């Protein structure tokens, strides 16, 4: 029987991974349970497991600009420690990365092997982790890049739109950044399916099919929640100056799934429609009302 370990189990994706693994032998480790930069502790926890899902990450994109060392410790050094522990104990590692490893200057979906060029410190820290997994575990390490992730747990764009709908008559949302809104539950299901398959190690893109802008996503959230989408107005990134630069184009290609006999993940709008039926999102909407 395959034994699983989930790091970052208290986070948005971590909790959905636990749900996707329901009924299987799994060890769930939250941030307080395991510092992934602590070599001896990581080796002790990895031992006895067959598959490790790393959902632990520094996710403060703007904060990484002023505290790169802390971001790199989790997203880079910690991932290296995990990868080496997996190699030592014969476990496969599934590491979750990001679209931010690309510069956003593209005009067609980024292939899994497209050249990387992060725009910000967070992207650099995540790319360091990617390289560690692929170098340490060339035959048993999986890097799955995701983007625009939202879920029932924690803070995310979809829940923020539902809350703000009650507080403001109009919302101004940028319409010059393009990406693939992805439900954490669908991603978690795909990560488990990946380890259940015979797919080879390497890089995969775990994002929804299709594409939209943040403005398009916000309008869809409103429309699917019975609210007037005209309340969401277009603006540009210039209206929101942030410490970290964001890529303007974050659409990821999915050719690798077809190559291993797996269908791409479903369309972002279909995904969002299903997500908003979840009681957790309904509770946010009802609370905002």
């Amino acid at each position: 029987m395959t034994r699983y370990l989930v790091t970052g189990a208290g986070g948005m994706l971590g909790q959905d991974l636990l749900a996707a693994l329901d009924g299987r032998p799994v060890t769930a480790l939250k941030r307080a349970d395991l510092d992934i930069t602590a070599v001896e502790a990581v080796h002790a926890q990895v031992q006895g497991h067959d598959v490790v899902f790393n959902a632990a990450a520094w996710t403060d994109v703007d904060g990484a600009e002023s505290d790169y060392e802390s971001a790199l410790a989790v997203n880079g050094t910690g991932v290296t420690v995990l990868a080496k522990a997996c190699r030592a104990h014969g476990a496969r590692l599934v590491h979750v990365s990001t679209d931010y490893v690309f510069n956003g200057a593209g005009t067609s979906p980024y292939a899994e092997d497209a050249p990387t060029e992060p725009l910000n410190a967070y992207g650099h820290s995540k790319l360091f982790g990617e390289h560690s997994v692929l170098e340490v575990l060339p035959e048993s390490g999986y890097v799955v890049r995701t983007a625009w992730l939202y879920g029932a747990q924690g803070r995310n764009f979809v829940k923020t739109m539902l809350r703000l709908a009650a507080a403001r008559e109009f919302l101004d949302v940028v319409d010059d950044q393009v990406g693939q809104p992805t439900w954490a539950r669908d991603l978690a299901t795909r990560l488990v399916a990946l380890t259940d398959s015979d797919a080879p190690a390497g890089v995969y893109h775990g994002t929804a099919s299709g594409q939209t802008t943040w403005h398009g996503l916000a309008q869809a959230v409103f429309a699917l929640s019975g609210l007037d989408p005209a309340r969401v107005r277009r603006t540009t990134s210039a209206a929101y100056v942030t410490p970290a630069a964001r890529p303007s184009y974050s659409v990821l290609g999915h050719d690798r799934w077809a190559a291993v006999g797996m269908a791409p993940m479903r369309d972002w709008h279909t995904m969002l429609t299903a997500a908003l039926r979840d009681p957790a999102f309904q509770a946010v909407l009802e609370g905002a009302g």
Side-chain angles (χ1 to χ4, degrees):
M1 182 177 291
T2 304
R3 297 155 298 178
Y4 301 88
L5 172 67
V6 177
T7 64
M12 178 173 64
L13 178 59
Q15 292 188 59
D16 279 338
L17 272 168
L18 296 180
L21 290 165
D22 186 43
R24 308 189 191 197
V26 56
T27 301
L29 297 176
K30 300 179 181 179
R31 181 187 304 176
D33 301 323
L34 178 66
D35 174 0
I36 64 170
T37 68
V39 177
E40 291 185 3
V42 169
H43 275 262
Q45 292 290 357
V46 170
Q47 187 174 17
H49 294 90
D50 305 294
V51 177
V52 176
F53 291 102
N54 180 36
W58 170 291
T59 57
D60 183 357
V61 176
D62 289 324
E65 294 297 310
S66 58
D67 193 4
Y68 180 63
E69 289 187 3
S70 293
L72 184 62
V74 180
N75 296 340
T77 304
V79 177
T80 304
V81 172
L82 273 174
K84 289 182 176 179
C86 286
R87 182 177 63 186
H89 300 288
R92 288 183 290 164
L93 174 62
V94 180
H95 171 63
V96 181
S97 192
T98 174
D99 59 303
Y100 277 36
V101 299
F102 298 115
N103 64 16
T107 55
S108 60
Y110 285 100
E112 291 85 351
D113 60 353
T116 53
E117 186 183 5
L119 290 178
N120 53 46
Y122 167 76
H124 279 285
S125 71
K126 293 295 288 184
L127 185 58
F128 189 103
E130 285 193 8
H131 288 165
S132 292
V133 173
L134 299 174
E135 291 172 6
V136 175
L137 299 169
E139 302 298 327
S140 57
Y142 299 81
V143 170
V144 182
R145 297 177 181 135
T146 193
W148 293 30
L149 201 64
Y150 63 89
Q153 309 299 325
R155 295 180 298 174
N156 56 78
F157 183 86
V158 172
K159 290 173 72 174
T160 297
M161 291 301 101
L162 291 173
R163 280 193 290 264
L164 291 179
R168 303 179 188 176
E169 182 177 1
F170 296 101
L171 302 181
D172 295 326
V173 181
V174 298
D175 198 37
D176 56 359
Q177 294 178 24
V178 182
Q180 298 157 310
T182 303
W183 189 16
R185 183 178 299 178
D186 271 35
L187 176 59
T189 301
R190 176 52 57 105
L191 295 179
V192 174
L194 179 62
T195 62
D196 286 344
S197 73
D198 295 324
V203 179
Y204 295 81
H205 285 165
T207 52
S209 299
Q211 65 183 57
T212 189
T213 65
W214 288 115
H215 174 266
L217 173 58
Q219 283 202 316
V221 170
F222 270 54
L224 291 169
S225 302
L227 306 170
D228 183 3
R231 292 172 56 195
V232 183
R233 304 183 299 198
R234 288 180 171 84
T235 189
T236 68
S237 300
Y240 297 95
V241 179
T242 57
R246 264 70 170 175
S248 60
Y249 185 83
S250 291
V251 180
L252 305 183
H254 304 127
D255 288 350
R256 193 87 194 278
W257 295 122
V260 300
M262 298 176 71
M265 295 172 68
R266 57 182 170 170
D267 177 81
W268 73 269
H269 196 276
T270 303
M271 200 180 280
L272 179 66
T273 302
L276 289 175
R277 297 192 192 106
D278 185 280
F281 287 106
Q282 288 295 313
V284 175
L285 182 61
E286 292 168 6

